[in-house]
Amino acid sequence: GTEGIIDRNTSFAFRSIRSGKMQATIASQFAPVAARANATSSRVSQRVPGVCRIRAAAPATRVAAPVAGAPSLAIGSTFAANRALNVAVARQVTLKPQPARGVVRCNAQAAAEGESAPSGIFAKNPALETVMYFALWYFLNVQFNIINKQIYNYFPFPWFVSAIHLAVGLLIMTFFWTTRLVKFEKPDSEFLKAVTLPSFLHAFGHCLTNVSFAAVAVSFTHTIKTLEPVFSAVGSYLVSGTVYAWPVYMALVPIMGGVALASATELSFTWLGFSTAMASNVAFSARAIFSKKLMAKMSPLNLYNFVTIVSLLFCIPFVIAFEGSTLAAGIAKAVELKGQKEFVLALLKVGAFYHLYNQVAYQALGKVEPVTHAVGNVGKRIFVIGFTILAFGNKISTQTAIGSGIAVVGAGLYGWLKAKYAADTKTVKNA
């Protein structure tokens, strides 16, 4: 391992000092050690805890010193903390310090996490990073929902548009990988098998959500999807055996009651829009749970990128089965109404917003638990419901508005109680 390389070569350097055979400077002795250690560290830092990283040392001047009364040498290394070793080295040489010195630093936590220690404002305020992810997630999602609904008003082909969302995401992730803005992580065969289920759930949930968007008002679809914490709580129990305190489950009651109240008088209500939105809740809650487990094997951005690739493969058969016979005529009509350039640009824009907001959502999921992520999703829907009502001038009844409000308040209460009773959360069986 890296530690062995450091210890053997350092021991050799110190023996050379004591024997008086050292002809080069201390820096020249440490240079090959640092080079080999860093080369090895870059290969093992992702899996070996406590890996040491060494910064190259600036040249230091070797100055002979009397053996008697030589000052103690302070060495910036955890493996040179032995007092007897310091005294032995001090009897041979002293170093004239230069403006920059090499320092060996060990960061076990950074090595365990597979990355260097965080720095900057987010290191001091990690909560701020999470808040920024959620704010960006909300903004991108609002933009996506508005453009998406505008397309469905003249091109009602949700299965095809869903595939376009994923296809544009494929172009974006290819750009990120080729420019190295996002570091590519090569998946192994075990990961590819494990990612298949979350990818199918993502594809199925995404397509069903878009069917609902096309069938009813966007605000109503998002009202139904405030039920996602209910399915997430049930799914967490079924998959990992997680059981929350009873007040947490009681908070689900106003969510369900609010959605029922809003649905009863929704002016745009259709069973197709309602049922597909409910089914997407199940799919997305399960996707969040299984994706959380996969994040131990890959970063959130790369995980979502691979989920997108596999999801696109699942979407294509749906497009052919449900819209294949009428798709060509629908495209021709859309081009006639909007013009080819405007139609294509709208598809590219909505696909870009979709991919980016989901990338940010996966980043947020990496910071919190699945149920908390689901509650954050509810907060996002507050913004979406409000902005889409303003954008499209949708009319809603008083009862629908009250029901939506109750559902949103219930979701907020659920999140607060879950945090308050976190210590009472139990696992009744192994995942």
Side-chain angles (χ1 to χ4, degrees):
T2 305
E3 295 91 336
I5 293 176
I6 293 175
D7 291 339
R8 289 195 298 273
N9 287 279
T10 303
S11 176
F12 169 76
F14 289 146
R15 288 201 304 272
S16 297
I17 293 172
R18 291 197 298 271
S19 63
K21 296 180 180 181
M22 181 178 182
Q23 302 299 321
T25 65
I26 295 297
S28 65
Q29 289 288 342
F30 271 81
V33 183
R36 287 193 293 272
N38 283 329
T40 306
S41 176
S42 65
R43 295 193 300 271
V44 303
S45 63
Q46 297 295 324
R47 59 182 183 275
V48 180
V51 173
C52 295
R53 298 181 183 273
I54 302 178
R55 290 190 284 107
T61 306
R62 181 177 182 274
V63 182
V67 173
S72 177
L73 177 64
I75 300 177
S77 169
T78 57
F79 57 75
N82 186 282
R83 182 178 179 183
L85 180 59
N86 283 336
V87 173
V89 175
R91 289 178 178 175
Q92 298 296 325
V93 296
T94 59
L95 293 178
K96 182 182 294 183
Q98 298 295 320
R101 294 188 301 138
V103 180
V104 180
R105 293 182 177 175
C106 295
N107 190 330
Q109 182 180 359
E113 294 174 355
E115 56 186 16
S116 59
S119 61
I121 188 172
F122 290 145
K124 298 179 181 179
N125 301 282
L128 179 60
E129 181 181 12
T130 303
V131 170
M132 290 190 67
Y133 276 130
F134 273 73
L136 185 58
W137 177 24
Y138 288 10
F139 169 77
L140 293 172
N141 194 268
V142 168
Q143 296 298 316
F144 160 74
N145 277 275
I146 291 176
I147 299 174
N148 202 48
K149 186 61 176 181
Q150 288 173 342
I151 292 174
Y152 289 141
N153 286 338
Y154 64 88
F155 184 68
F157 289 84
W159 297 93
F160 174 76
V161 174
S162 298
I164 291 295
H165 295 161
L166 300 174
V168 173
L170 179 60
L171 297 177
I172 294 174
M173 76 181 68
T174 301
F175 170 77
F176 283 158
W177 278 336
T178 55
T179 58
R180 298 188 178 181
L181 292 174
V182 174
K183 183 180 179 182
F184 176 80
E185 298 177 47
K186 185 177 180 180
D188 54 25
S189 57
E190 182 181 351
F191 173 85
L192 291 176
K193 291 179 181 178
V195 82
T196 301
L197 178 57
S199 298
F200 173 76
L201 293 170
H202 180 74
F204 195 56
H206 176 52
C207 290
L208 290 176
T209 300
N210 278 279
V211 172
S212 182
F213 283 150
V216 296
V218 174
S219 57
F220 180 57
T221 298
H222 283 285
T223 297
I224 299 171
K225 289 178 73 63
T226 57
L227 286 169
E228 191 169 318
V230 177
F231 295 98
S232 184
V234 174
S236 293
Y237 170 75
L238 295 176
V239 174
S240 58
T242 302
V243 177
Y244 302 105
W246 70 266
V248 178
Y249 291 111
M250 290 299 295
L252 297 174
V253 175
I255 300 177
M256 295 184 286
V259 170
L261 187 64
S263 301
T265 57
E266 170 59 38
L267 299 178
S268 67
F269 181 91
T270 67
W271 280 109
L272 175 63
F274 178 82
S275 60
T276 51
M278 288 290 287
S280 72
N281 280 333
V282 178
F284 281 138
S285 296
R287 181 204 65 178
I289 294 169
F290 288 108
S291 295
K292 185 73 176 180
K293 290 190 171 187
L294 284 172
M295 284 182 183
K297 301 180 181 181
M298 185 172 287
S299 67
L301 285 180
N302 277 284
L303 173 59
Y304 179 68
N305 287 344
F306 282 108
V307 167
T308 297
I309 293 173
V310 181
S311 296
L312 178 59
L313 299 178
F314 281 120
C315 274
I316 293 174
F318 290 144
V319 176
I320 297 173
F322 292 108
E323 299 173 344
S325 60
T326 59
L327 182 58
I331 293 176
K333 184 177 180 180
V335 170
E336 180 182 352
L337 289 173
K338 295 293 182 178
Q340 182 176 353
K341 181 179 179 180
E342 183 177 346
F343 178 56
V344 172
L345 284 178
L347 291 176
L348 292 175
K349 284 169 62 179
V350 75
F353 279 121
Y354 173 77
H355 181 82
L356 293 175
Y357 101 69
N358 272 287
Q359 272 203 341
V360 174
Y362 262 68
Q363 289 290 87
L365 178 58
K367 304 290 181 183
V368 297
E369 292 300 315
V371 177
T372 305
H373 184 267
V375 173
N377 218 4
V378 172
K380 174 203 69 179
R381 299 194 196 288
I382 298 174
F383 284 81
V384 172
I385 290 171
F387 279 104
T388 53
I389 289 175
L390 294 175
F392 298 107
N394 295 337
K395 295 181 180 181
I396 60 174
S397 67
T398 302
Q399 183 175 324
T400 297
I402 294 174
S404 298
I406 292 174
V408 169
V409 170
L413 179 64
Y414 178 87
W416 178 75
L417 289 173
K418 178 179 174 292
K420 181 179 179 180
Y421 292 97
D424 298 329
T425 301
K426 301 177 182 179
T427 300
V428 297
K429 62 181 180 180
N430 294 326

